[in-house]
Structures are given as C-alpha cells and as structure tokens.
Amino acid sequence: MKKSKFFFASIIVIVIVFLLVYIGVNLTSDKKVVKITDKNKSQQLEKMISNIDISKVKPIKGQIDLNTADVASELPDISKFPVSVENTTENYVEIFSSTEKSSDGKNGWLNEVASKFNNAKFNLNGHQVSVKIRNIASGTATDFIKSSKYVPDAFTPSNELWGQMITASGVKTETISSRLVGNVPGIVISKAKYDELMKKYGKVDTKTVIDAMTKNELSMGYTDPFTSSTGLNFLVTALNSFDSKDVLSETAVKGFESFQANVPFIASTTLQMSDAAESGVLDAFVLEYQSYVNLPDLKNRYEFIPFGVRHDSPLYALGDLPKDKIDILNKFAEFTGQSNLQELAKKDGFNGLNNYTSELKAIDGNTLTAAQKLWKGKKNTSNPIAAVFVADVSGSMDGKPLNELKESLLKGQKYLGRDNSIGLISYSADVTINLPIAKYDANQQSKFVGAVSSLDAGGDTATNDAILVAINMLKEEMKKNPNVRPLIFVLTDGETNHGHSLKNVKGIIKAYKIPIYTIGYNANIKALESISNINEAANINADSDDVIYKIRNLFNVQL
C-alpha cells in the first residue's frame, strides 16, 4: 500500500515538473514563426512589441568629459598581439609586421624568412644576432608607435603611408628598405560590372570606378582607413581622383562627399568585407593582389584594378637606435632580398604586378592624418546615422561585465559623430527606454553619459525583446527622417533566457535590414554572431584588455 502511494506521488511530481517545464518553454519561445514580408513587417513588429514589458525613465544628465580621447590608454597590452617569430639571441631587434606577411599559411612569408635568418646564426660586431617578429595590423601598430604606448625597434607596414604618419607625429624614422616584398592594392570588380563599364566608358580604371560610384552606377565597399592599409590608400586615391593637386581642396572634398553618398558599406575588417562580397551585395570592393591570387574562385569571377601607392612592405628603424641594431636591420633587409626568398614570396602570392607604378604623388603624414579626420567627418554627411545602443543589465552582467560595458560606452561615446542621432535602451527580463533617439549634441551627450552611468544589473535576459524595441524606435525615427541610416549596437554577454526567440525575430530583423553590431563581454560569441550575420554586421569579442580600443575602431567606421 505504501509502495502504491509512493508510486502515485512520484507520478504526480513528474507530471507537475513536466507541466512547469512546458509552460516555461512556451513563455520563452514561440509556437509559430510567421513569415515576415515588407507588407506585414510593421504589423508583426507591433504584435511582438505588444507582448513586451516596456518602460521609460526620465534621462538624468551626466558630466561630459571635454578632454580629447587618450589613444594610449585605450590600447590593449602589447601581449594581445602575438610574437610570430621569437628572437634566438640576446642581441636582436623587434619588428612590428603587417598581418598579410606575418600570420600563417600563405600569409606567413616574413615568419619563414625570419626563422631562416635566425637559424643562419649571423655574427655582427662580435655577437650572434636574431630578429623578433610581432604580428600586428599596420593601423594598430601605428597607434602604438605614435602614442608611445609601445615602440619596437622597427616597423614594416604594408605601405609607406603609415611611415609618413609616424614621421609626422615626431617619432624619428629611418628607411632601412623601401621594399621587402612586392604587393599592390586594388579594386576587385565583378566581371559582369567590369564589362558593363568597359562598354560605356571604353576603359575601366580607378577613376572610372570612382566616377561610376559617384553616379550611383555600381555598388562598392572599402575598409576602415584608420586601421586598414588598403582602406587608407583607397581614401587618398579617391580624394586624389577629384583633385590631383590637393587632396584636401574644396573640389576634392565635394567630390568625395558625392562619392561617399553612394557607398553602401564600409567594413571594419577585411573578413567582414569578404563576407559581404560573398553575399553578392557588392559589385566591387578593395583587396590586396596577394589575397586576390590566393583565392581562385575570386579570380574566376572578378577583375583586379590596381590603385594607389604600392604595398611593398617598407622597413623603418624607429627612434634613436644604436648602431648595433641598425646593423642587424640592414643585414635582415639584405637577407630578405635573396632570390630564393623572393621566389618563396611569389608562391605565397607576393611580387605580382611588379610593373605597376603609382600615379599618386608623395603625401606627407600631416595630410594623411587630415584626410582621416575629413573621412570621419564627411562619410555620413548625406545619410546621417540613427543608432540605438542596447545594453544588457541582466543578473549575469552584474559586477565586472557591466562595469566594462559602462566604461566602454563612456569612453567610446567620444567617437560618436555630432551629425548622428543616438538613443539608449537597457534590458533584463523587461526593456527600459533610457534615452529616446535625438541628435547627438552636447545636451544629448550629457543625457547619454547620465543614462549609462545609472545602469544597474539584475534579472533575466531578454535580448531579442530589446532588439525588437530598438527596431521599433528606429522605425519611428525613419518616419520623421527618411534619409537616416539605422544601426543597432547590442552590448551583452550573449545569454538569452527570456522573451522572444531569435528564430522568431530573425524575420523582422531581416525585413527591416538594420545592421546589428554585437559586442560580447566574456560572451556566447556564436549566439551573437548569429544576430550580427543576419544583416552583415560585425561581432566583437571584447574582454577587459581591449574592449575600449575595439569599440573605438567600430565607432570610427560606423558612426
């Protein structure tokens, strides 16, 4: 009898547990996914929004920091950037190297050369010598050197433009070699569009492509000129195409504004650019020749049009180096020039298009820095940004993650353009509109700082609900200002456990075509990538050491 009672009691417990789980699942997921179209997207969004608990708070003004951004403090520790070849002796030089030649596989030529140099055990001035190679993007390396955060003995960027900027910043540079290995940047354009332009213009060169873009006859993307060698090169090439005598003249600036008005996509990274190209959204994009020849499928579908200064990887000594170190650098440069090593480079895609000569005249570092600032101020003139920041304040963000989120927004807001409009929402199980969208003037900046500073953590995580609210805010903003380009930035640890599922909101995100940039704090990166990939945005995996710098670069490009 007791056993029967125990058995029935157990069954009842199991049934109750099952019902609770079933109810929980149905509360946090969706029974049916409705197909979203342009016709029903507004209705479906309103329907989903109606199930979300949304509140508003009165913005509290915060104290604006009027000091200019401190790049040195935003840079991560140099250990974030791997040493790809270790020195083998006490007498050595450390060289910052651009990533296309110091990574791995076809992008590891300099590593192989440096290893051979170290194994050769050269003796100079009575000591055995070696080199140490650190793999770091040219733009980031330039930031380290210009800010004095970390200055190596030498630097081999992709092109000479970075060397000019470093020299202009006051850092002493000495050219050890103008070329370690040959490379050329170019516009990669689909064969169909190439044939179309050839038929119309009789030739297809850089000027043709830029003119066609200005007339909105093709869709092209390029990379961030603050971090990308190809992006910086393309920027000055575009300005030069409008005025070859003065890239900063009124004529050049007006021409660039007309061109930029039709640019649909600026990538934060080369990988993001490649993903966009694969989707077929772009007719053309920028790429180095070395990468182009290493992608056979790309070669079959696209033509390559060289532009700008060559990417011949010059080698610079930095600062007041002792003669012993200059001697090591000279020996290393001489070593890299051996015919067998240059042939090795050719197998990796380098040393192609050796007959290409740049039409750009020499550009000094101050002009290059001014061109970057011009780009930052003018890139969104025709289509200003309306952005909503979506901050996760759930219980899992309590402590260090939320502190990092707040710090990154408070420091990153210095890079938000004044012509843009900004809003902020936060979320846990429900969603709070902390700051309605408005022009980012001093008043809105003060409110933004106050809203971010007052964020507290607690509760479940309804990320997808918050995204829906952000989309709705931007939808209303676009009704008032049809020319704005909408963006969403989600800052979270990526753990969603409440509200609408991604499966259910994916159709809405796709229908409204709003890029969602996700920034993860020790996060479930795969989950965040799934959100960002819907409309070809980027995902940042940010930890405590480099989140500020990564966000700074993202905001430079997108805002």
Side-chain angles (χ1 to χ4, degrees):
M1 185 72 178
K2 287 182 179 179
K3 286 184 179 180
S4 297
K5 288 182 179 180
F6 177 78
F7 174 77
F8 285 116
S10 299
I11 293 294
I12 292 169
V13 169
I14 291 170
V15 170
I16 291 171
V17 169
F18 175 80
L19 287 172
L20 288 172
V21 170
Y22 178 80
I23 292 167
V25 167
N26 279 275
L27 284 173
T28 58
S29 62
D30 309 279
K31 294 179 182 179
K32 184 180 178 182
V33 177
V34 177
K35 185 176 180 181
I36 308 297
T37 65
D38 277 340
K39 288 185 178 180
N40 73 2
K41 65 182 181 183
S42 182
Q43 180 186 5
Q44 290 301 317
L45 177 60
E46 288 176 12
K47 185 177 179 181
M48 291 182 187
I49 290 287
S50 66
N51 296 324
I52 301 171
D53 186 5
I54 306 170
S55 60
K56 295 181 180 180
V57 296
K58 185 177 180 180
I60 302 171
K61 288 189 176 183
Q63 186 68 39
I64 298 174
D65 180 5
L66 297 177
N67 295 320
T68 55
D70 180 7
V71 175
S73 69
E74 295 166 2
L75 286 162
D77 188 85
I78 194 60
S79 61
K80 282 284 177 184
F81 305 92
V83 173
S84 52
V85 177
E86 290 282 3
N87 56 292
T88 55
T89 63
E90 291 182 2
N91 296 283
Y92 71 95
V93 290
E94 179 178 1
I95 304 172
F96 277 3
S97 169
S98 54
T99 54
E100 80 281 0
K101 58 182 183 286
S102 60
S103 298
D104 52 26
K106 293 286 188 180
N107 297 320
W109 173 79
L110 192 66
N111 292 340
E112 193 165 350
V113 172
S115 295
K116 289 179 183 295
F117 179 84
N118 290 351
N119 290 336
K121 299 182 179 179
F122 288 107
N123 278 282
L124 296 176
N125 305 312
H127 300 286
Q128 189 176 318
V129 300
S130 61
V131 295
K132 176 180 180 178
I133 306 297
R134 193 179 293 275
N135 179 28
I136 182 169
S138 297
T140 303
T142 299
D143 281 341
F144 270 98
I145 296 164
K146 285 172 61 178
S147 67
S148 298
K149 172 94 173 189
Y150 189 97
V151 181
D153 300 307
F155 178 30
T156 172
S158 298
N159 63 41
E160 67 192 50
L161 301 178
W162 303 109
Q164 297 282 10
M165 293 174 72
I166 289 169
T167 301
S169 74
V171 177
K172 182 180 177 182
T173 60
E174 178 182 341
T175 303
I176 300 297
S177 173
S178 58
R179 170 173 170 159
L180 293 184
V181 67
N183 204 0
V184 174
I187 298 168
V188 178
I189 181 170
S190 70
K191 290 183 181 292
K193 185 58 69 172
Y194 182 92
D195 292 341
E196 182 184 316
L197 295 181
M198 180 64 78
K199 186 176 180 180
K200 182 170 184 178
Y201 293 100
K203 66 174 182 178
V204 183
D205 56 13
T206 306
K207 186 75 168 69
T208 307
V209 172
I210 291 173
D211 286 346
M213 268 294 296
T214 305
K215 296 173 184 175
N216 203 23
E217 294 174 348
L218 84 159
S219 176
M220 179 184 166
Y222 62 96
T223 45
D224 175 11
F226 278 87
T227 59
S228 163
S229 297
T230 308
L232 177 61
N233 206 341
F234 182 76
L235 169 62
V236 293
T237 299
L239 289 166
N240 183 76
S241 74
F242 295 110
D243 189 345
S244 59
K245 293 180 180 178
D246 181 3
V247 296
L248 299 177
S249 71
E250 186 178 349
T251 301
V253 172
K254 285 185 177 179
F256 176 75
E257 286 179 326
S258 300
F259 164 82
Q260 187 64 29
N262 296 315
V263 173
F265 186 71
I266 301 171
S268 301
T269 64
T270 304
L271 179 61
Q272 189 189 357
M273 179 63 71
S274 299
D275 290 343
E278 279 299 313
S279 71
V281 171
L282 302 174
D283 298 314
F285 53 98
V286 298
L287 196 69
E288 286 184 309
Y289 188 73
Q290 181 256 349
S291 298
Y292 173 74
V293 297
N294 284 326
L295 297 168
D297 185 53
L298 202 67
K299 285 186 69 178
N300 293 334
R301 296 183 291 129
Y302 291 86
E303 298 286 350
F304 185 91
I305 305 168
F307 71 80
V309 301
R310 292 184 60 88
H311 282 202
D312 284 343
S313 292
L315 177 63
Y316 303 103
L318 302 174
D320 291 307
L321 292 185
K323 181 180 181 301
D324 287 357
K325 292 207 170 194
I326 294 293
D327 288 345
I328 299 173
L329 288 170
N330 280 320
K331 188 66 178 177
F332 182 65
E334 178 189 339
F335 184 82
T336 63
Q338 294 178 93
S339 58
N340 63 316
L341 296 179
Q342 291 298 313
E343 280 300 313
L344 180 65
K346 202 166 187 177
K347 291 179 182 178
D348 285 346
F350 293 102
N351 292 334
L353 302 183
N354 279 332
N355 293 327
Y356 170 73
T357 304
S358 174
E359 294 181 355
L360 272 179
K361 64 181 182 181
I363 302 175
D364 67 87
N366 289 323
T367 300
L368 291 166
T369 300
Q372 286 180 322
K373 290 179 180 177
L374 167 71
W375 176 82
K376 174 66 177 171
K378 298 292 185 180
K379 64 184 174 67
N380 295 323
T381 303
S382 300
N383 300 104
I385 300 294
V388 175
F389 291 87
V390 180
D392 181 353
V393 293
S394 62
S396 60
M397 290 289 290
D398 194 24
K400 187 177 179 182
L402 184 59
N403 290 336
E404 289 172 0
L405 182 153
K406 291 162 77 168
E407 183 186 12
S408 57
L409 280 180
L410 291 174
K411 289 188 175 179
Q413 55 88 20
K414 290 187 176 184
Y415 298 97
L416 306 182
R418 293 293 187 186
D419 292 326
N420 300 324
S421 297
I422 304 298
L424 173 72
I425 66 178
S426 59
Y427 69 94
S428 51
D430 51 13
V431 180
T432 301
I433 298 175
N434 302 80
L435 185 65
I437 298 171
K439 197 77 169 285
Y440 199 65
D441 54 17
N443 185 53
Q444 185 74 348
Q445 183 182 12
S446 177
K447 291 179 181 179
F448 183 83
V449 169
V452 170
S453 300
S454 65
L455 296 176
D456 287 314
D460 288 339
T461 313
T463 303
N464 300 311
D465 287 5
I467 289 172
L468 290 173
V469 174
I471 291 173
N472 194 54
M473 288 172 67
L474 289 167
K475 181 190 79 170
E476 296 304 313
E477 181 67 18
M478 286 186 285
K479 283 181 183 178
K480 296 183 287 183
N481 302 296
N483 291 330
V484 299
R485 185 162 67 92
L487 295 175
I488 295 173
F489 295 88
V490 177
L491 301 94
T492 176
D493 62 5
E495 299 295 338
T496 301
N497 59 15
H498 188 91
H500 290 90
S501 68
L502 179 59
K503 181 181 178 182
N504 188 253
V505 304
K506 187 174 182 179
I508 289 288
I509 296 171
K510 216 167 191 176
Y512 277 96
K513 300 176 182 177
I514 298 175
I516 301 175
Y517 293 84
T518 54
I519 301 163
Y521 298 80
N522 300 312
N524 181 344
I525 295 303
K526 288 294 181 185
L528 298 184
E529 284 177 347
S530 299
I531 296 171
S532 292
N533 288 343
I534 296 171
N535 289 325
E536 293 165 357
N539 162 256
I540 289 177
N541 181 9
D543 60 30
S544 58
D545 291 330
D546 57 4
V547 59
I548 306 297
Y549 186 70
K550 286 181 176 179
I551 286 179
R552 169 231 188 191
N553 290 338
L554 178 63
F555 289 177
N556 257 336
V557 176
Q558 302 302 338
L559 290 168

